[in-house]
Amino acid sequence: GATGSTHALAVAHYAAAVGATAEVITWPQEEHAVSRATAQVMAARARVTPARSVADAYLRAMARRGRGGVHWVPAGGSVPLGVLGHVSAALELAEQLAREAVDPRQTVVVPLGSGGTVAGLLVGFALAGLPAPILAVQVVPRLVASRTRVGWLAQRTHRLIARSAGVALPAVDYRRLLVQRDAYGGAYGRPTAEADEAAGALRAAGGPRLDGTYSAKAFGVALARARSSPEERVLFWLTFDGRWL
């Protein structure tokens, strides 16, 4: 992952918890306070190998895998088995909305990175019969943040659940997926004024801390949409846990 990857930090943390050694191969990113703090903590919990670029990082990873003796975790952890966690989260949301008698017709705004969260929400909403459109906000290069990748992950996750459960499942409606690309900022991790302003407003209101790479950009879009369409119910899906900071 990138130098400030919170996913890579999570892998390092839980690897240590089960007695394994984590090696994290990182590539440079535009830095901010959260990315620098993440890199500092990660260096204390894993063996970090810096690479010059994304391509260099993957070449180093393939060479390391070729020597054997490792379990490979891809950037973002977006594989069908990992996506199941986001399917469960979508089912949990559906249960909460029903329990609180809240209108399920929410527009769910979520960051679009490696695609695992968005794919899991698509599948989970289909299983729950939740008629919620998903507005995925691009926060990584367009090559990665693609509808094709999200669809591929969702299809494989859908098949995994159907095969494991031995039952036919409701189909995934990909028309519910909308992608917004104007909040990216031009580079991975590059803060934007709109995202910083939105994150500051949330903190001032007593809300959680956001990161400039993913969650602040998505929340900026959610806040602008809620302000421009007061009749629309907008639900922001927070992907950043800042409690460790």
Side-chain angles (χ1 to χ4, degrees):
T3 51
S5 169
T6 51
H7 167 255
L9 173 59
V11 171
H13 174 79
Y14 288 105
V18 298
T21 300
E23 178 179 359
V24 180
I25 302 175
T26 63
W27 59 78
Q29 70 166 83
E30 300 252 346
E31 294 188 356
H32 47 74
V34 171
S35 69
R36 287 189 290 270
T38 302
Q40 183 178 3
V41 177
M42 188 158 56
R45 301 190 183 187
R47 185 167 66 251
V48 179
T49 302
R52 295 184 299 273
S53 64
V54 175
D56 182 36
Y58 272 89
L59 287 173
R60 289 171 180 264
M62 285 190 289
R64 179 65 188 87
R65 292 171 69 189
R67 298 200 300 271
V70 297
H71 175 75
W72 163 249
V73 180
S78 292
V79 294
L81 187 60
V83 172
L84 291 180
H86 303 294
V87 175
S88 294
L91 296 175
E92 183 179 350
L93 172 65
E95 291 174 356
Q96 291 171 341
L97 293 176
R99 184 173 65 245
E100 301 297 330
V102 174
D103 189 340
R105 291 171 295 180
Q106 311 274 335
T107 297
V108 178
V109 182
V110 59
L112 174 56
S114 56
T117 304
V118 178
L121 294 181
L122 277 171
V123 175
F125 289 172
L127 298 183
L130 194 65
I134 299 172
L135 178 57
V137 180
Q138 177 190 349
V139 295
V140 300
R142 190 180 184 117
L143 181 65
V144 178
S146 69
R147 293 180 62 93
T148 301
R149 176 175 173 78
V150 171
W152 178 80
L153 279 169
Q155 288 172 3
R156 290 190 63 195
T157 303
H158 191 270
R159 287 201 298 266
L160 173 62
I161 298 172
R163 184 171 64 249
S164 300
V167 296
L169 302 178
V172 176
D173 185 358
Y174 295 99
R175 295 171 298 178
R176 291 184 183 174
L177 175 60
L178 311 171
V179 179
Q180 185 160 330
R181 302 194 179 278
D182 58 3
Y184 175 44
Y188 180 76
R190 178 178 294 167
T192 66
E194 296 81 4
D196 287 347
E197 180 183 354
L202 184 62
R203 286 290 281 177
R209 182 171 183 169
L210 305 180
D211 73 290
T213 301
Y214 289 81
S215 57
K217 293 177 180 178
F219 184 66
V221 170
L223 190 59
R225 190 175 183 103
R227 286 171 171 170
S228 63
S229 304
E231 71 285 352
E232 181 182 15
R233 299 188 66 91
V234 178
L235 189 152
F236 168 59
W237 194 270
L238 177 60
T239 58
F240 177 65
D241 183 353
R243 290 174 296 179
W244 63 272
L245 287 170

